[in-house]
């Protein structure tokens, strides 16, 4: 029988047998004695690797359809014994239990089973591992060398060969990973059994950011752990190609841009059967410009023209390749020839070598994700969404509503052109993914004003109109003070459309839009004053499309 008092006994019981023979041979060469359960034992034994069958140690083989294999005192005694207590070692000696110094265990593929469309509740239950998590938790608690993932095996062998440097610190990290793996496993079980009755997100560090929203937030990063049901548009699937390291704000801006671009794409796909080249720019968490066109470069130009000031320092996303034409527009369109536009980041499905070189001169962050090239109505994020609040989290269904202008529940007042309908969808895609209250203005495939985050509809309307300014502000010096004169562009506004993320409670807000030149409004119905608001607008020559507030309210980002 193997050593009882030493720490050179290793227990190997794995489902994923990747490189397991190489790992086992490495342990043998280092003087370890191996114990394994049925499947692992057979593979190692067939490979002529010296190994003990755990059933010979316990005196029991697998039973209850393999539900009980390792749940035995002669297994867990060797895992849980505290080596600093002589009485524990005496118990092991008296009962002829080997002390396990290394435990290599992974878990049944529960996540794969849950993701399988053919899975049943019964098949999922059978994939719930009991013995594996128990061994991992025991080994982690007892300070053993514990491997909980297949990809750790080469690293552990190298560490053992190097003489186990920084042993206590290293084993503590292994214990943290093991506890993480079992916690993640149990969370999958709980959510499968009661999706809305429990809440939680388990993730490991994916990439650090220099700091958080401000330099005072010194520890920040992206945490993700997607292994099976991977979202191709998840933040962890975006590749940082070149430029400054991504910041915390960059990551959150990209997430907001994904929401906006997928909503615009879904709206066009559902209503018009195709997704055009599109571009959107975000600054401080809200879209400040967006455009759709026949080419991605033209979409970028429309996005920039919508608000030439706000996009400075922002992040831009397009649903196609960043080529030389796109790069040229990003840097120079509507800019004085002596200056180039400064952006925090540019995101596309890919980037050409020429464009990368052009953007690198300004050290712009370039980020890519090929999934952006294939956006459809199925690209919206459907997983439940939650956010931290002090003492807990609030959670809800995700933003999966797609505005359908042809739905039976839509009410239409006045004539609305095909171009206005397309502008409605563009404005909706932006407004429904901006912090409410929001009113968004669009014209000819371009967002020309986005009035976000206001406490009332009048304020949202006024802000949206103010954002339509395209001229540089006039400056004058009065007693040493610089004053800005902002002038609305009536030419830019005339014939535009507006989207409001909820109904107008009174006529005052929408009439501000009508007086400025807005000719069609998409909003929701449900106000007790609809009977006043609707005729006021139609009398002013403004056409309307209304979605019931309970179906299509566009509140976002509270």
């Amino acid at each position: 029988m193997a050593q009882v008092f030493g720490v050179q006994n290793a227990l190997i019981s794995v489902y994923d047998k990747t490189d397991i023979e190489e790992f086992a041979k490495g342990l043998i060469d280092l003087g370890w004695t191996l114990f394994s359960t049925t499947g692992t034992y057979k593979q190692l034994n067939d490979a002529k690797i010296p190994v003990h069958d755990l059933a010979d140690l316990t005196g029991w083989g697998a039973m209850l359809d393999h539900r009980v294999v390792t749940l035995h005192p002669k297994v867990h005694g060797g895992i849980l014994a505290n080596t600093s207590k002589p009485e524990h070692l005496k118990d092991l000696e008296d009962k002829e239990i080997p002390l396990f110094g290394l435990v290599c265990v992974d878990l049944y593929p529960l996540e794969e089973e849950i993701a399988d469309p053919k899975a049943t509740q019964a098949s999922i239950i059978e994939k719930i591992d009991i013995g594996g998590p128990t061994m991992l938790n025991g080994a982690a608690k007892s300070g053993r060398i514990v491997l909980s993932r297949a990809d750790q095996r080469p690293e552990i062998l190298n560490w053992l060969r190097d003489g186990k440097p920084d042993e206590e610190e290293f084993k503590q990290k292994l214990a943290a990973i093991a506890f993480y793996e079992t916690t993640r496993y149990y969370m999958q079980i709980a959510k499968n059994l009661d999706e809305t009755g429990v809440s939680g997100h388990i993730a490991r560090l994916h990439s650090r950011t220099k700091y958080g929203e401000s330099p005072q937030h010194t520890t920040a990063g992206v945490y993700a752990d997607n292994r099976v049901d991977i979202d191709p548009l998840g933040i962890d699937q975006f590749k940082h190609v070149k430029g400054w390291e991504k910041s915390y704000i960059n990551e959150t801006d990209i997430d907001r841009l994904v929401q906006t671009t997928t909503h615009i794409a879904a709206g066009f796909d559902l209503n018009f059967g195709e997704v055009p080249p599109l571009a959107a720019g975000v600054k401080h968490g809200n879209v400040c410009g967006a455009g759709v066109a026949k080419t991605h470069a033209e979409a970028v130009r429309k996005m920039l023209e919508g608000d030439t000031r706000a996009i400075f320092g922002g992040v831009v996303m397009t649903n196609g390749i960043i080529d030389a034409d796109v790069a040229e527009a990003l840097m120079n369109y509507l800019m004085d020839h002596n200056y180039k536009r400064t952006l925090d980041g540019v995101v596309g499905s890919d980037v050409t070598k020429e464009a990368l070189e052009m953007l690198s001169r300004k050290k712009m962050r370039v980020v890519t994700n090929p999934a952006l090239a294939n956006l459809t109505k199925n690209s919206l994020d459907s997983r439940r969404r939650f956010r931290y609040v002090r003492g807990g989290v609030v959670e809800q269904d995700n933003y999966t509503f797609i505005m359908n202008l042809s739905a039976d529940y839509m009410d239409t007042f006045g004539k609305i052109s095909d171009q206005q309908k397309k502008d409605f969808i563009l404005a909706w895609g932006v407004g429904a993914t901006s912090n409410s209250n929001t009113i968004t203005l669009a014209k000819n495939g371009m967002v020309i004003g986005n009035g976000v985050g206001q406490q009332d509809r009048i304020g949202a309307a006024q802000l949206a109109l103010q954002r339509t300014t395209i001229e540089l502000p006039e400056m004058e010096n009065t007693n040493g003070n610089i004053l800005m004169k902002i002038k609305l562009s009536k030419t830019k506004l005339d014939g535009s459309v507006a989207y409001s993320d909820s109904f107008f409670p009174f006529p005052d807000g929408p009439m501000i839009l009508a007086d400025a030149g807005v000719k069609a409004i998409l909003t929701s119905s449900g106000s007790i004053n609809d009977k006043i608001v609707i005729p006021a607008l139609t009398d002013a020559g403004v056409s309307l499309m209304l979605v019931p507030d309970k179906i299509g309210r566009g509140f976002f980002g509270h």
Side-chain angles (χ1 to χ4, degrees):
M1 187 52 68
Q3 299 174 30
V4 173
F5 299 109
V7 292
Q8 292 292 94
N9 298 302
L11 172 57
I12 305 177
S13 179
V14 296
Y15 188 94
D16 183 348
K17 296 178 176 58
T18 304
D19 298 327
I20 196 60
E21 294 176 19
E22 181 180 346
F23 179 67
K25 288 176 183 177
L27 291 179
I28 293 291
D29 292 343
L30 290 166
W32 289 81
T33 300
L34 308 185
F35 290 79
S36 292
T37 52
T38 311
T40 309
Y41 169 79
K42 184 178 186 306
Q43 180 164 335
L44 297 181
N45 190 55
D46 289 348
K48 309 302 181 185
I49 298 172
V51 59
H52 294 281
D53 190 342
L54 204 64
D56 293 338
L57 172 66
T58 64
W60 289 82
M63 58 182 294
L64 302 180
D65 292 329
H66 221 78
R67 284 192 173 197
V68 178
V69 181
T70 60
L71 297 172
H72 193 283
K74 284 201 171 184
V75 175
H76 290 280
I79 294 174
L80 286 167
N82 186 336
T83 57
S84 67
K85 292 187 175 184
E87 60 271 28
H88 282 206
L89 299 179
K90 182 66 165 58
D91 276 343
L92 296 185
E93 181 181 19
D94 291 345
K95 295 176 175 60
E96 298 185 335
I97 300 174
L99 177 67
F100 292 112
L102 183 148
V103 174
C104 177
V105 172
D106 60 15
L107 306 176
Y108 293 167
L110 173 69
E111 192 170 2
E112 290 89 337
E113 188 68 22
I114 291 174
D116 187 344
K118 298 179 181 178
T120 64
Q121 197 63 28
S123 69
I124 291 171
I125 292 294
E126 285 306 309
K127 282 295 191 295
I128 296 176
D129 198 339
I130 302 299
T134 306
M135 288 188 287
L136 288 176
N137 290 337
K141 172 181 177 176
S142 302
R144 306 298 197 259
I145 302 168
V146 55
L147 292 78
S148 50
R149 297 199 301 256
D151 60 8
Q152 294 176 300
R153 296 165 194 169
E155 177 189 12
I156 298 302
L157 271 184
N158 289 332
W159 176 73
L160 290 170
R161 288 165 179 156
D162 291 340
K164 299 188 285 190
D166 302 316
E167 182 174 0
E168 292 308 311
E169 180 183 354
F170 188 73
K171 288 199 294 186
Q172 183 172 318
K173 289 182 179 179
L174 293 178
I177 293 170
F179 281 129
Y180 167 82
E181 289 295 320
T182 58
T183 302
R184 183 177 182 276
Y185 197 77
Y186 288 132
M187 180 58 75
Q188 292 169 8
I189 297 168
K191 284 191 170 183
N192 174 255
L193 295 174
D194 188 0
E195 181 182 5
T196 61
V198 296
S199 179
H201 181 66
I202 306 296
R204 53 184 170 174
L205 182 64
H206 175 267
S207 59
R208 291 199 181 278
T209 57
K210 189 173 183 179
Y211 50 79
E213 286 186 301
S214 301
Q216 303 95 307
H217 304 124
T218 56
T219 303
V222 175
Y223 290 78
D225 192 356
N226 301 299
R227 305 181 190 180
V228 176
D229 188 16
I230 298 173
D231 181 355
L233 290 166
I235 198 71
D236 57 323
Q237 301 300 305
F238 284 78
K239 179 182 177 182
H240 183 203
V241 179
K242 203 166 186 180
W244 290 311
E245 63 182 308
K246 284 193 289 183
S247 71
Y248 180 96
I249 294 176
N250 292 152
E251 301 287 11
T252 57
D253 281 349
I254 290 173
D255 178 66
R256 180 60 63 91
L257 282 167
V258 170
Q259 282 278 10
T260 299
T261 55
T262 54
H263 274 75
I264 295 172
F268 272 88
D269 188 20
L270 179 66
N271 288 274
F272 309 110
E274 62 179 355
V275 178
L278 65 91
V282 69
K283 185 73 176 291
H284 289 295
N286 284 297
V287 170
C288 56
V292 294
K294 293 182 178 180
T295 69
H296 291 97
E298 180 61 23
V300 166
R301 287 190 284 270
K302 285 187 175 183
M303 177 273 299
L304 293 169
E305 189 174 333
D307 194 325
T308 56
R309 290 174 299 157
I311 193 56
F312 268 85
V315 178
V316 174
M317 179 176 287
T318 183
N319 64 335
I321 297 173
I322 303 167
D323 59 16
D325 288 342
V326 170
E328 174 65 24
L330 287 168
M331 291 191 301
N332 297 323
Y333 184 62
L334 295 180
M335 292 294 296
D336 185 288
H337 71 277
N338 293 315
Y339 299 94
K340 292 187 184 298
R341 183 174 284 106
T342 298
L343 295 172
D344 249 19
V346 184
V347 187
S349 63
D350 202 350
V351 60
T352 66
K353 183 177 180 180
E354 183 181 6
L356 187 60
E357 183 178 342
M358 294 168 64
L359 296 171
S360 295
R361 295 171 196 158
K362 293 292 290 182
K363 297 183 179 179
M364 290 186 192
R365 297 176 182 90
V366 179
V367 178
T368 61
N369 185 333
L372 289 172
N374 301 298
L375 301 182
T376 70
K377 61 187 177 185
N378 298 317
S379 297
L380 297 184
D381 186 359
S382 61
R383 304 185 191 196
R384 288 180 64 79
R385 199 166 186 88
F386 66 91
R387 59 180 285 184
Y388 168 79
V389 292
R390 189 164 180 168
V393 298
V394 289
E395 185 172 317
Q396 65 171 12
D397 299 332
N398 219 311
Y399 304 95
T400 56
F401 172 76
I402 305 174
M403 185 66 70
N404 183 355
L405 301 181
S406 300
D408 292 340
Y409 50 70
M410 298 293 296
D411 288 323
T412 303
F413 299 88
K415 186 177 180 180
I416 299 174
S417 69
D418 290 342
Q419 181 59 55
Q420 286 175 324
K421 288 180 179 179
K422 291 180 179 179
D423 290 340
F424 272 164
I425 293 302
L426 175 61
W428 163 81
V430 170
T433 55
S434 298
N435 290 39
S436 59
N437 288 326
T438 296
I439 290 176
T440 306
L441 306 177
K443 181 180 177 181
N444 295 331
M446 177 175 71
V447 167
I448 59 175
N450 196 25
V452 306
Q454 299 304 294
Q455 293 89 345
D456 62 88
R457 293 282 141 194
I458 293 177
Q462 291 173 331
L463 181 57
L465 294 173
Q466 181 180 324
R467 300 305 313 181
T468 64
T469 306
I470 58 173
E471 301 91 344
L472 291 175
E474 298 177 18
M475 299 285 195
E476 64 180 32
N477 193 311
T478 304
N479 298 323
N481 296 319
I482 300 296
L483 303 178
M484 266 198 285
K485 293 181 179 179
I486 297 176
K487 183 179 180 182
L488 296 180
S489 172
K490 285 287 288 186
T491 303
K492 192 175 183 182
L493 278 162
D494 189 45
S496 61
V497 307
Y499 164 74
S500 174
D501 59 7
S502 188
F503 57 69
F504 291 98
F506 300 100
D508 45 10
M511 289 307 297
I512 292 175
L513 301 175
D515 292 342
V518 172
K519 294 301 181 183
I521 295 176
L522 171 63
T523 185
S524 63
S525 59
S527 169
I528 59 172
N529 284 329
D530 282 350
K531 58 183 180 296
I532 301 173
V533 174
I534 293 171
L537 286 170
T538 54
D539 288 349
V542 176
S543 300
L544 280 171
M545 289 197 79
L546 302 177
V547 57
D549 203 60
K550 290 183 179 180
I551 295 176
R553 179 190 292 176
F555 282 177
F556 182 96
H558 285 86

